[in-house]
Amino acid sequence: MKKIKTALFFILLGAVLQANAQKMNPIYLDNTQTIEARVKDALSRMTLEEKVKICTAQSKFSTHGVPRLGIPELWMSDGPHGVRMEILWDSWGHAEWTNDSCTAFPALTCLAATWNPQMSHIYGKAIGEEARYRRKDVLLAPGVNIYRTPLNGRNFEYFGEDPYLASKMVVPYIHGIQENGVSACVKHYVLNNQEKWRGHINVELSDRALYEIYLPAFKAAVTEGKVWSIMGSYNKIRGTYACENDLTLNKILKGEWKFDGCVITDWGGAHNTKEAALNGLDIEMGTGTDGFTSNSKNAYDNYYLANPYLQLLTSGEIPVSNIDEKATRILRLIFRTAMNTNKPFGSLATEEHAAVGRTVSEQGAVLLKNTAHLLPIDASNYKSIAVIGENATRILTEGGGSSELKPKHEISPLQGLKEKFGADKITYAMGYASGKVEYDKVNKSPYEAAKLRKEAVELAAKSDLVIYVGGLNKNSQQDSEGDDRISYSLPFEQNELITELQKANKKIVLVMLSGNAYEMPWLNNATTLFQAWYGGSEAGHAIANVLSGEVSPSGKLPFSFGAKLSDYGSHSYGSIAYPGDSINEIYKEDILVGYRWFDTKKIKPLFPFGFGLSYTSFQYGKIATDKKIYSSDESIKISFTVKNTGKVDGAEAVQVYASQPKASVLRPEKELKAFKKVFLKAGETQTLELEIKVKDLAFFDNTTHSWKVEVGEFVLCNAASSADVKSKVAIQVK
Ligand code: BGC
C-alpha cells in the first residue's frame, strides 16, 4: 500500500512538474515560429506581476525584462539626429562612458529640406546602425510634429510645416532604422507644437485640422512606415493628456490605423493609473523627474502602471484582458528588437555614416538669395576672406535638450572653410556672442557685444569677402527643448551687427544656421543668403562644399519664412491661439498652417515654402494629365518635362500642388500633393511622371467625420515653390 502511495505521489508530482514546465522554462530562441506565436507562448508563461512589470521603466532609459524567463529588457535612447550619449541610471546626468561617441547627423529640418525620401532612408539606416551597435532596442525618433509657429523651440527636430512632405520623409526613415532590428519611436503624438507649457497646455482644434494637418505624418508612420512604437506627447488634447487619451490612442491610433506596436509615454507623460491603463498607454517612462530606484514617491514601483496598476487588476477594477493586451504589444516589440536574432550588428561613427551626414547636409542646404553671384566662391578671386560670427566655431550638437549628442567629430564651418579656401586667406572674428549652453537656463555671454562688433566690422572693412555665419543656436529659448523662443528676431544683437557689416563691405555671404525662420530687417541690403541648418558632424565640410560650388545647392524650404511674427496664422488670433492662456490653447487658424495660410490670406512671406535656388537654372514644361475626367477611386497620372538650362549639373525638387476653386468648405489656395527630386546634368531634360490619387484631393468633413472628395473641378499645378507656379491643368472629378 505504502509502495502504491509512493508511486502515485511520484506520478502526480511528474504530472504537475510537466504541466508547469511549459510555464517555467526560459524562452529559448526559436526562430521556427512567427513572432505572434512566440508572443502568445511567452504571454502564457508569465504571471500577472511579470506582465505588469514590463509596462514601466527600471531606469531612465530602460524597461524591466522578465529575468525568470530570459525575456530581455528594452533599452532606449534619444534621439532624432544621432544616438545620445549614455545617461545615468536614475538621473539626467551623463554617464561619461568612453565608448558612446556617435555620428551627429543633420537636424531633421535639414533632412526635410532635401525633399529626397532616399536621403531619409540612408539617414534612417545609418542612425539605426549606430543604435544597433550601441545595443539600443528603441530609438526615440523621429519627430513629426507640424511647424505651426516659428517660436517653437523644437522645430529643428521636425520635418516642417506640410503634412504631405513630413509623411513622405518619415516613412523611409522608419524603414531604415527598423531594418536594423531597432524600433523607431515616432514622437510626439500629438499636437505638441510648442515647448512653452508643453507639460499641461490643453489643445482645442477642429477634427478637420487634426486629420488634415496634424495627424497625417503619424498615420503614414503607422500605416506605411509600420513603425513599432510611438511616443505620446506631454500636452492635453480636448481636456485629456495625450498619453491617456482615448480619442487619439484607442480610437485613432489603435482603432482607425490598426497600430500593433507600443505607445510609450514621453518622459513623465503619465498622470493617472486608470486613465493610462484604459486609454491606450503601454509603457510608462520617466515619471517624476527623479524616478529613483528607492525611497521616493516616484520610485519605479510606484509608477502609475506599476504597483497601482497591479492593485486595480487584482481587485478586478481593471480587467485582466487590459494587461494582456499591453503585454502582448510589449512582447511583440521585444521580439521585433531585443529578441530578434536576425538583426545585423550595426556600426558606429564610421566614415560611411559621416558621408551620409555630409550628403544630407549638402542636399538640404537652401540657397535663398544670390543676386550678386558671389556664390559659388572662387577663392582665387580673393586675397583675404573674413569669417565672422559665433556659429562659425560654436559646437551645435550640444544643448537643445534631449537631441544633444557627443559626436566623435564635428567639423565647424570655420574649419571647413579653411580647408576649402586656404587657412592663410581666412581671418576669423566672433562678431557676437551668446552664453554657455544649459538646459532650461539662459546664460549671459561673458563678452562685451560692442567690442566684438567693432572688431568684426573693422575686419570686414579690410577684407575682400565676408562670410558671416550666424543664426540661432541650441541655447534655451533658441532652438531648444523645454521652452520657446521669446522673439522672432535673431538673437545676440545680430541684426545690428549684420547691418553694420553691410555698411563696411558690400561682399557679404550670409550663412545662417537654425532650425527656425527669423526676421530679416537687413534683407534688402543682402545679396547673398544661404540657409544651412544644423549639419552635425560634417557641417563644416558640407557648407564649404556648397559655397565653393563643388556641390550645387538643391535644398528647398520645408517651412515658410514669414516677414514678421504677426504674419503667421498661429499669431493672428491673439494669445489664446499661441501660446494659450496657460491652460487652454485654441488652434484658431484651423487648417491654414504655413503656406496654406500665407497663400490663402495673400500675405507675402520673405521666402515661401518649397523655395530654394541653385547654381544652375531649370525650365519646367507644361503640366499634363492622362485624362480630363476621373472617378474618386482613380489615380491622376501627371507628366511634364524639366530641363537643366544652366552650365552646371544640379538637382531640383519639383512640386505639384492641387486646389479646388469651388468647394462647399474653405479650401487652402493650394496644397502639396506630389514632389520629386530630379538630378539633371547641365543641358539634360527629363520627363517626370507623378501620380496623385483622387481620394487624396479630399478634405476632412467635420460634420460627417469622414474624408470627402467633392465632384467638380480641381486644378493641378507644377511649381518650383509654393509661390512659383509654372503651369496649371484643370481636371474634373465625377
Ligand atoms: C523629450 C523626448 C525625449 C525624452 C527622453 C523628453 O523630455 O520630450 O523627446 O525622447 O525626453 O529624453
Side-chain angles (χ1 to χ4, degrees):
M1 188 64 188
K2 201 176 171 199
K3 267 189 186 166
I4 295 171
K5 266 190 181 170
T6 317
L8 257 177
F9 171 78
F10 279 110
I11 289 166
L12 270 174
L13 182 68
V16 170
L17 282 179
Q18 211 177 350
N20 273 339
Q22 173 88 348
K23 277 192 160 186
M24 302 285 292
N25 280 342
I27 310 282
Y28 289 112
L29 299 172
D30 176 1
N31 288 330
T32 60
Q33 292 185 50
T34 63
I35 284 188
E36 290 312 303
R38 297 169 78 192
V39 165
K40 221 168 147 199
D41 168 53
L43 190 74
S44 74
R45 302 174 193 226
M46 286 164 71
T47 65
L48 182 65
E49 287 73 14
E50 285 166 343
K51 291 176 192 171
V52 170
K53 199 92 185 167
I54 60 174
C55 296
T56 51
Q58 63 166 359
S59 75
K60 268 272 165 267
F61 283 94
S62 66
T63 58
H64 296 276
V66 187
R68 182 179 68 87
L69 295 173
I71 297 175
E73 303 154 352
L74 280 172
W75 279 85
M76 309 183 183
S77 175
D78 285 303
H81 313 139
V83 187
R84 193 181 187 179
M85 61 287 249
E86 297 298 327
I87 301 295
L88 290 172
W89 189 264
D90 271 343
S91 77
W92 286 110
H94 299 157
E96 310 294 349
W97 290 16
T98 53
N99 63 349
D100 57 352
S101 299
C102 67
T103 303
F105 296 93
L108 291 196
T109 33
C110 179
L111 179 59
T114 67
W115 289 67
N116 188 348
Q118 217 186 334
M119 286 296 109
S120 238
H121 185 249
I122 61 167
Y123 185 126
K125 183 167 178 289
I127 198 173
E129 281 166 359
E130 302 222 344
R132 168 65 187 108
Y133 186 83
R134 295 263 311 275
R135 302 181 184 203
K136 304 302 175 194
D137 305 303
V138 179
L139 188 70
L140 306 169
V144 293
N145 296 86
I146 289 293
Y147 190 113
R148 175 175 179 257
T149 158
L151 297 190
N152 178 15
R154 276 187 110 169
N155 280 335
F156 71 101
E157 290 191 57
Y158 304 140
F159 288 106
E161 72 185 26
D162 182 72
Y164 181 79
L165 177 64
S167 301
K168 289 293 152 200
M169 296 303 285
V170 72
V171 169
Y173 183 112
I174 295 167
H175 291 164
I177 293 181
Q178 294 190 168
E179 280 160 29
N180 291 288
V182 174
S183 173
C185 181
V186 175
K187 62 195 192 181
H188 306 87
Y189 185 69
V190 58
L191 300 168
N192 179 192
N193 305 103
Q194 69 195 48
E195 288 300 285
K196 191 174 173 74
W197 297 326
R198 67 172 176 172
H200 64 267
I201 196 77
N202 174 45
V203 177
E204 298 285 346
L205 79 174
S206 69
D207 273 356
R208 188 170 173 206
L210 180 66
Y211 276 82
E212 287 188 25
I213 306 294
Y214 298 101
L215 289 180
F218 288 102
K219 182 181 180 188
V222 172
T223 58
E224 297 168 49
K226 308 277 180 226
V227 71
W228 296 334
S229 65
I230 277 206
M231 183 189 289
S233 56
Y234 286 129
N235 52 287
K236 288 182 177 171
I237 303 158
R238 295 183 180 162
T240 312
Y241 283 109
C243 288
E244 304 169 350
N245 197 296
D246 183 50
L247 171 69
T248 53
L249 299 181
N250 282 342
K251 296 209 168 73
I252 297 176
L253 177 67
K254 294 181 175 178
E256 290 175 22
W257 304 342
K258 315 228 169 327
F259 174 61
D260 71 356
C262 283
V263 175
I264 302 174
T265 56
D266 199 339
W267 269 229
H271 297 270
N272 178 292
T273 298
K274 211 165 166 182
E275 305 269 314
L278 296 177
N279 292 339
L281 181 67
D282 301 305
I283 296 180
E284 179 188 357
M285 301 298 294
T287 296
T289 50
D290 43 12
F292 292 111
T293 1
S294 61
N295 300 329
S296 156
K297 72 176 170 42
N298 293 321
Y300 301 104
D301 281 350
N302 294 330
Y303 270 33
Y304 296 100
L305 287 188
N307 286 344
Y309 180 38
L310 182 61
Q311 273 159 25
L312 294 186
L313 287 163
T314 326
S315 70
E317 226 177 298
I318 291 180
V320 171
S321 57
N322 182 267
I323 179 60
D324 279 347
E325 203 227 302
K326 286 189 207 312
T328 298
R329 287 173 181 273
I330 297 166
L331 288 169
R332 194 179 287 134
L333 180 60
I334 294 174
F335 277 107
R336 283 170 165 168
T337 58
M339 292 189 88
N340 175 350
T341 50
N342 294 324
K343 61 187 175 189
F345 293 106
S347 52
L348 186 64
T350 60
E351 274 180 33
E352 288 78 7
H353 293 173
V356 167
R358 192 168 58 245
T359 311
V360 169
S361 207
E362 289 165 354
Q363 277 205 25
V366 184
L367 179 59
L368 292 174
K369 205 171 175 187
N370 195 19
T371 48
H373 300 288
L374 291 183
L375 298 181
I377 295 169
D378 178 353
S380 65
N381 291 338
Y382 307 104
K383 283 204 191 74
S384 57
I385 300 177
V387 174
I388 295 173
E390 192 192 51
N391 274 352
T393 55
R394 195 176 174 89
I395 293 184
L396 290 165
T397 48
E398 63 176 27
S402 55
S403 65
E404 63 171 358
L405 295 172
K406 181 164 108 186
K408 193 169 166 201
H409 75 270
E410 181 172 345
I411 307 295
S412 70
L414 182 63
Q415 188 180 337
L417 293 169
K418 280 185 169 171
E419 284 174 24
K420 186 64 68 185
F421 299 132
D424 50 333
K425 267 191 190 169
I426 292 184
T427 316
Y428 174 68
M430 204 173 177
Y432 72 91
S434 61
K436 194 170 93 195
V437 69
E438 195 174 341
Y439 186 68
D440 248 351
K441 191 164 172 229
V442 179
N443 292 309
K444 276 219 151 95
S445 148
Y447 301 99
E448 200 190 311
K451 195 160 166 269
L452 291 179
R453 199 182 307 161
K454 186 163 173 282
E455 212 174 78
V457 172
E458 280 170 11
L459 176 66
K462 62 178 189 204
S463 303
D464 292 345
L465 177 75
V466 176
I467 302 177
Y468 177 84
V469 190
L472 305 179
N473 64 25
K474 299 290 189 64
N475 283 12
S476 186
Q477 295 181 349
Q478 301 299 322
D479 283 324
S480 177
E481 185 180 335
D483 207 348
D484 283 349
R485 296 165 70 194
I486 48 169
S487 160
Y488 188 44
S489 190
L490 279 178
F492 322 124
E493 299 182 32
Q494 288 180 82
N495 287 339
E496 292 80 351
L497 172 63
I498 294 171
T499 308
E500 285 195 33
L501 291 172
Q502 285 175 329
K503 286 182 199 148
N505 194 320
K506 291 273 163 285
K507 290 189 175 169
I508 304 183
V509 176
L510 295 168
V511 178
M512 295 302 195
L513 313 185
S514 76
N516 254 318
Y518 40 85
E519 230 167 35
M520 302 183 187
W522 32 258
L523 184 62
N524 285 342
N525 295 324
T527 61
T528 321
L529 177 61
F530 181 67
Q531 178 65 31
W533 320 113
Y534 299 114
S537 289
E538 285 290 296
H541 286 151
I543 288 172
N545 287 347
V546 184
L547 291 188
S548 70
E550 201 171 302
V551 175
S552 180
S554 64
K556 294 209 172 179
L557 294 178
F559 51 81
S560 318
F561 270 62
K564 51 186 190 304
L565 198 57
S566 56
D567 284 356
Y568 285 85
S570 49
H571 293 270
S572 299
Y573 294 94
S575 59
I576 192 65
Y578 176 87
D581 64 6
S582 92
I583 298 165
N584 295 303
E585 184 180 26
I586 308 173
Y587 285 14
K588 290 202 165 189
E589 75 285 7
D590 202 49
I591 53 159
L592 297 183
V593 175
Y595 68 92
R596 286 167 168 78
W597 172 266
F598 288 101
D599 270 11
T600 311
K601 300 287 178 185
K602 313 270 180 261
I603 298 168
K604 202 170 176 304
L606 286 180
F607 295 103
F609 171 78
F611 177 77
L613 300 167
S614 164
Y615 294 152
T616 184
S617 49
F618 300 97
Q619 197 179 59
Y620 287 60
K622 187 158 169 33
I623 185 169
T625 52
D626 59 331
K627 301 199 292 179
K628 287 287 158 224
I629 303 174
Y630 297 87
S631 56
S632 59
D633 55 356
E634 285 185 296
S635 282
I636 309 163
K637 295 201 174 60
I638 297 160
S639 60
F640 55 92
T641 56
V642 185
K643 181 174 184 190
N644 180 344
T645 48
K647 291 196 179 62
V648 293
D649 300 350
E652 171 77 340
V654 299
Q655 299 150 48
V656 175
Y657 294 83
S659 51
Q660 189 186 356
K662 279 193 202 114
S664 66
V665 293
L666 171 86
R667 300 219 62 178
E669 179 75 18
K670 59 171 127 31
E671 294 179 278
L672 183 71
K673 293 293 167 190
F675 66 87
K676 193 166 191 174
K677 187 147 184 171
V678 254
F679 291 80
L680 295 168
K681 297 238 170 269
E684 186 186 347
T685 304
Q686 267 186 39
T687 302
L688 302 189
E689 286 175 358
L690 298 157
E691 209 172 288
I692 298 174
K693 290 193 181 112
V694 172
K695 76 173 179 45
D696 291 339
L697 299 175
F699 65 88
F700 192 83
D701 190 347
N702 281 327
T703 49
T704 58
H705 194 80
S706 60
W707 291 96
K708 197 168 179 175
V709 190
E710 288 180 322
V711 291
E713 187 186 69
F714 286 81
V715 175
L716 307 176
C717 64
N718 57 353
S721 81
S722 61
D724 187 6
V725 170
K726 301 296 185 182
S727 65
K728 294 181 179 178
V729 61
I731 57 131
Q732 297 287 328
V733 172
K734 64 172 188 203

Coordinates of all heavy atoms in Angstrom, one line a residue, residues 60-61 77-80 84 92 140-141 154 157-158 187-188 192 195 198 231 234 265-267 401-403 439 481, ligand 1:
K60 N 16.3 55.4 -16.2 CA 16.0 56.5 -17.1 C 15.6 56.0 -18.5 O 14.7 56.5 -19.1 CB 17.1 57.5 -17.2 CG 17.0 58.6 -16.1 CD 16.2 59.7 -16.6 CE 15.8 60.7 -15.5 NZ 14.5 60.3 -14.9
F61 N 16.4 55.1 -19.0 CA 16.1 54.7 -20.4 C 15.9 53.2 -20.7 O 16.1 52.7 -21.8 CB 17.3 55.2 -21.3 CG 17.1 56.7 -21.6 CD1 17.7 57.7 -20.8 CD2 16.3 57.2 -22.6 CE1 17.5 59.0 -21.0 CE2 16.1 58.5 -22.9 CZ 16.7 59.5 -22.1
S77 N 17.0 55.0 -26.5 CA 17.9 56.2 -26.5 C 17.3 57.3 -27.4 O 16.7 57.0 -28.4 CB 19.3 55.8 -27.0 OG 20.1 57.0 -27.1
D78 N 17.6 58.5 -27.0 CA 17.3 59.6 -28.0 C 18.4 59.5 -29.0 O 19.4 58.9 -28.8 CB 17.5 60.9 -27.2 CG 16.2 61.2 -26.3 OD1 15.1 61.2 -26.9 OD2 16.4 61.4 -25.1
G79 N 18.2 60.0 -30.1 CA 17.1 60.9 -30.5 C 17.1 61.0 -32.0 O 17.7 60.2 -32.7
P80 N 16.6 62.0 -32.5 CA 16.4 62.1 -34.0 C 17.7 62.3 -34.8 O 17.7 61.9 -36.0 CB 15.4 63.2 -34.2 CG 15.4 64.0 -33.0 CD 15.9 63.2 -31.8
R84 N 22.1 59.3 -28.6 CA 22.6 60.2 -27.5 C 23.6 59.4 -26.6 O 23.6 58.2 -26.6 CB 21.4 60.5 -26.6 CG 21.6 61.6 -25.6 CD 20.2 61.8 -24.9 NE 20.3 62.9 -24.0 CZ 19.3 63.3 -23.2 NH1 18.2 62.6 -23.2 NH2 19.4 64.3 -22.4
W92 N 19.4 62.5 -14.9 CA 19.7 63.0 -16.3 C 21.2 63.2 -16.6 O 21.5 63.6 -17.7 CB 18.9 64.3 -16.6 CG 17.5 64.1 -16.8 CD1 16.5 64.5 -15.9 CD2 16.8 63.5 -17.9 NE1 15.2 64.1 -16.4 CE2 15.4 63.5 -17.7 CE3 17.3 62.9 -19.1 CZ2 14.5 63.0 -18.5 CZ3 16.3 62.3 -20.0 CH2 15.0 62.4 -19.7
L140 N 14.4 56.8 -29.9 CA 13.3 57.8 -29.7 C 13.3 58.8 -30.8 O 13.7 60.0 -30.6 CB 13.4 58.4 -28.3 CG 13.5 57.3 -27.2 CD1 13.9 57.9 -25.8 CD2 12.2 56.5 -27.1
A141 N 12.9 58.4 -32.0 CA 13.0 59.3 -33.2 C 12.2 58.6 -34.3 O 12.0 57.4 -34.2 CB 14.5 59.4 -33.6
R154 N 11.4 73.5 -30.6 CA 11.8 72.2 -31.1 C 11.6 71.9 -32.6 O 11.7 70.8 -33.1 CB 11.1 71.0 -30.4 CG 11.8 70.7 -29.1 CD 11.2 69.5 -28.4 NE 12.0 68.4 -28.5 CZ 11.8 67.3 -27.8 NH1 10.8 67.1 -27.0 NH2 12.7 66.2 -27.9
E157 N 13.8 69.7 -34.8 CA 13.7 68.2 -34.7 C 12.6 67.7 -35.5 O 12.4 66.5 -35.5 CB 13.4 67.8 -33.2 CG 14.6 68.1 -32.3 CD 14.3 67.4 -30.9 OE1 14.0 66.2 -30.9 OE2 14.2 68.1 -29.9
Y158 N 11.9 68.5 -36.3 CA 10.8 68.0 -37.0 C 11.0 68.3 -38.5 O 11.9 68.8 -39.0 CB 9.5 68.7 -36.5 CG 9.3 68.6 -35.0 CD1 8.8 69.6 -34.3 CD2 9.5 67.3 -34.4 CE1 8.5 69.5 -32.9 CE2 9.2 67.2 -33.0 CZ 8.8 68.3 -32.3 OH 8.5 68.1 -31.0
K187 N 7.6 60.5 -32.6 CA 7.1 61.4 -31.5 C 6.8 62.7 -32.0 O 7.1 63.1 -33.1 CB 8.2 61.4 -30.4 CG 9.5 62.0 -30.8 CD 10.6 61.7 -29.8 CE 11.8 62.5 -30.0 NZ 12.9 62.2 -29.1
H188 N 6.1 63.6 -31.3 CA 5.4 63.4 -30.0 C 3.9 63.5 -30.4 O 3.4 64.5 -30.7 CB 5.8 64.6 -29.1 CG 7.3 64.7 -28.9 ND1 8.1 65.5 -29.8 CD2 8.2 64.2 -28.0 CE1 9.3 65.4 -29.4 NE2 9.4 64.6 -28.4
N192 N 1.9 68.5 -30.0 CA 2.9 69.1 -29.2 C 3.7 70.0 -30.2 O 4.8 69.8 -30.6 CB 3.9 68.0 -28.7 CG 5.0 68.5 -27.9 OD1 6.0 67.7 -27.6 ND2 5.0 69.7 -27.5
E195 N 6.9 74.3 -27.1 CA 7.5 73.8 -25.9 C 7.0 74.6 -24.7 O 6.9 74.0 -23.6 CB 9.0 74.0 -26.0 CG 9.7 73.1 -26.9 CD 9.5 71.6 -26.5 OE1 10.1 71.2 -25.5 OE2 8.6 70.9 -27.1
R198 N 4.4 72.9 -22.4 CA 4.2 71.7 -23.1 C 3.6 70.6 -22.1 O 2.9 69.7 -22.5 CB 5.4 71.1 -23.8 CG 6.5 70.7 -22.8 CD 7.7 70.0 -23.5 NE 8.7 69.7 -22.6 CZ 9.8 69.0 -22.9 NH1 9.9 68.5 -24.1 NH2 10.7 68.7 -22.0
M231 N 5.6 57.6 -29.4 CA 5.7 58.3 -28.1 C 4.6 59.3 -27.9 O 4.4 60.2 -28.8 CB 7.0 59.1 -28.0 CG 7.2 59.7 -26.6 SD 8.7 60.8 -26.6 CE 10.0 59.6 -26.6
Y234 N 3.3 65.4 -24.2 CA 3.1 65.9 -22.8 C 1.7 66.6 -22.7 O 1.1 66.6 -21.6 CB 4.2 66.9 -22.4 CG 5.5 66.3 -22.1 CD1 6.7 66.8 -22.6 CD2 5.6 65.3 -21.1 CE1 7.9 66.2 -22.3 CE2 6.9 64.7 -20.8 CZ 8.0 65.2 -21.4 OH 9.2 64.7 -21.0
T265 N 5.2 56.5 -23.1 CA 5.0 58.0 -22.7 C 6.2 58.8 -23.1 O 7.3 58.3 -23.2 CB 4.9 58.1 -21.2 OG1 6.1 57.6 -20.6 CG2 3.7 57.5 -20.6
D266 N 6.0 60.1 -23.3 CA 7.2 60.9 -23.2 C 7.5 60.9 -21.7 O 6.7 60.5 -20.9 CB 6.8 62.4 -23.6 CG 8.1 63.1 -24.0 OD1 9.2 62.7 -23.5 OD2 8.1 64.1 -24.7
W267 N 8.8 61.3 -21.4 CA 9.3 61.1 -20.1 C 8.5 61.9 -19.0 O 8.7 63.1 -18.9 CB 10.8 61.4 -20.1 CG 11.7 60.2 -20.4 CD1 12.8 59.8 -19.6 CD2 11.5 59.2 -21.4 NE1 13.3 58.6 -20.2 CE2 12.6 58.2 -21.3 CE3 10.6 59.0 -22.5 CZ2 12.7 57.1 -22.1 CZ3 10.8 57.9 -23.3 CH2 11.8 57.0 -23.1
G401 N 18.5 70.2 -25.7 CA 17.6 69.3 -25.0 C 18.0 67.8 -25.3 O 19.1 67.5 -25.4
S402 N 17.0 67.0 -25.4 CA 17.2 65.5 -25.5 C 17.9 65.1 -26.8 O 18.4 64.0 -26.9 CB 15.9 64.7 -25.3 OG 15.0 65.2 -26.3
S403 N 18.0 66.0 -27.8 CA 18.7 65.7 -29.0 C 20.2 66.0 -28.9 O 20.9 65.9 -29.9 CB 18.1 66.4 -30.2 OG 18.3 67.8 -30.0
Y439 N 20.5 73.6 -20.2 CA 19.1 73.2 -20.4 C 18.2 74.1 -19.5 O 18.5 74.3 -18.3 CB 18.8 71.7 -20.0 CG 17.4 71.3 -20.3 CD1 17.0 71.3 -21.7 CD2 16.5 71.0 -19.3 CE1 15.7 70.9 -22.0 CE2 15.2 70.6 -19.6 CZ 14.8 70.6 -21.0 OH 13.5 70.3 -21.2
E481 N 14.7 72.4 -26.7 CA 13.6 71.8 -26.0 C 13.3 72.6 -24.6 O 14.3 73.2 -24.1 CB 14.0 70.4 -25.6 CG 12.9 69.6 -25.0 CD 13.4 68.1 -24.7 OE1 14.3 67.6 -25.5 OE2 12.8 67.5 -23.8
Ligands
BGC1 C1 11.5 64.6 -24.7 C2 11.5 63.4 -25.6 C3 12.7 62.6 -25.2 C4 12.6 62.2 -23.8 C5 13.7 61.3 -23.3 C6 11.6 64.3 -23.2 O1 11.7 65.4 -22.4 O2 10.4 65.4 -24.9 O3 11.6 63.8 -26.9 O4 12.7 61.5 -26.1 O5 12.6 63.4 -23.0 O6 14.9 62.0 -23.3

